Amino acid sequence: MIRNRFMHLTLAVLAAYGALGCESGGVGDPCIPEDEYKLNFNGFALTEVNVESRSFQCETRVCIVNHFQGRVSCPYGQADPETSGLTSTDRARCRVPGTDGKTCTDGAGNVAACNGEMNNVDGIRVPVDPQLIYRAAQDTVYCSCRCAGPDPAARYCECPSGFVCEELVREIGVPGRGQLVGSYCIKPGTLYDPTHPPPAHVCNITDGDANRDPDLASDKNRKVGDICGQTDACPQGVSKPCASNPPI
């Protein structure tokens, strides 16, 4: 694991006191945490919960990361770019969400011709762990709302059909965190149990190309290409569709 943290909770200043819990519309919509727009962010750790409370991608303004490994925008992860030799346009590289790896700037921050990787501003600059097949972004990272908590005066949402209300953020006695403490709407069966961690199978290019199920003994039938992503923009000699970190 690239980062070994028992529990890390990212706090953002709330736009309004009730922003965490009064509406449940949009629960389950996909979201990309703001940290993923940072070039030196190497991803979340399986042991952590992250609550982004001012996400403009979510109707609820809450984007949760529920014990997820890696980056939502880079399912296959990447090796250390300083030693891998891969360019930012390679399918095995991580990029700033929504970019194609081809944007470069000069010393003043203006768009300029690329000089190798030295002035590229799309490619993530640190190693990134791949997502876990059985705890991928689709299971653990999405818009949510706070459905219960310790404050009887707070406004809480009612979880829509297909979601359950489970405690994610516990009170740890740190001032200023009370507005995030409590339960959130999550998908059934995704409450994290550290005594029974998920299988270690991760997104990898080889299995993604073949769209292979890494665990035939499991009844979940999860194929790597379907979970982690494929594209028709494949390198020469690689059959379509092939595995790739988006977009390529």
Side-chain angles (χ1 to χ4, degrees):
M1 183 70 65
I2 291 173
R3 298 194 301 173
N4 184 18
R5 294 173 293 176
F6 177 71
M7 177 66 75
H8 171 73
L9 181 63
T10 298
L11 303 176
V13 178
L14 297 177
Y17 179 76
L20 286 174
C22 59
E23 298 292 340
S24 62
V27 169
D29 288 349
C31 55
I32 297 177
E34 290 297 317
D35 281 340
E36 299 206 14
Y37 291 86
K38 300 174 183 177
L39 294 175
N40 292 314
F41 177 64
N42 57 11
F44 299 97
L46 182 63
T47 51
E48 72 181 357
V49 169
N50 180 287
V51 177
E52 185 176 294
S53 60
R54 290 189 67 185
S55 174
F56 292 104
Q57 300 175 47
C58 298
E59 283 185 55
T60 63
R61 293 293 183 263
V62 177
C63 176
I64 63 168
V65 180
N66 175 19
H67 295 280
F68 162 79
Q69 174 177 294
R71 293 172 63 111
V72 176
S73 57
C74 190
Y76 292 96
Q78 70 174 16
D80 189 340
E82 291 189 4
T83 58
S84 70
L86 300 177
T87 67
S88 293
T89 57
D90 194 277
R91 64 181 178 143
R93 279 293 304 275
C94 298
R95 292 168 282 271
V96 173
T99 67
D100 59 7
K102 299 178 181 179
T103 305
C104 298
T105 61
D106 59 20
N110 301 310
V111 176
C114 290
N115 179 22
E117 290 293 297
M118 295 296 295
N119 60 336
N120 189 288
V121 293
D122 286 351
I124 302 305
R125 298 171 180 171
V126 291
V128 176
D129 279 334
Q131 294 182 21
L132 291 162
I133 299 296
Y134 293 98
R135 201 167 180 87
Q138 65 190 47
D139 305 311
T140 56
V141 185
Y142 41 79
C143 300
S144 186
C145 59
R146 192 168 64 149
C147 50
D151 184 357
R155 301 173 67 188
Y156 300 109
C157 69
E158 182 176 343
C159 295
S161 176
F163 291 83
V164 293
C165 187
E166 296 282 5
E167 183 182 37
L168 288 188
V169 182
R170 295 182 179 179
E171 178 60 69
I172 55 177
V174 177
R177 297 190 175 186
Q179 290 178 324
L180 296 181
V181 171
S183 301
Y184 291 79
C185 299
I186 64 173
K187 296 182 178 181
T190 62
L191 185 65
Y192 182 71
D193 180 357
T195 65
H196 294 87
H201 303 296
V202 298
C203 298
N204 67 86
I205 295 293
T206 300
D207 285 344
D209 283 345
N211 202 18
R212 182 180 296 118
D213 186 339
D215 188 358
L216 296 177
S218 170
D219 59 0
K220 292 187 177 181
N221 189 29
R222 290 205 158 187
K223 296 182 178 180
V224 175
D226 293 342
I227 297 298
C228 308
Q230 290 183 313
T231 181
D232 286 334
C234 303
Q236 185 175 1
V238 178
S239 300
K240 301 179 183 179
C242 62
S244 174
N245 286 318
I248 190 170

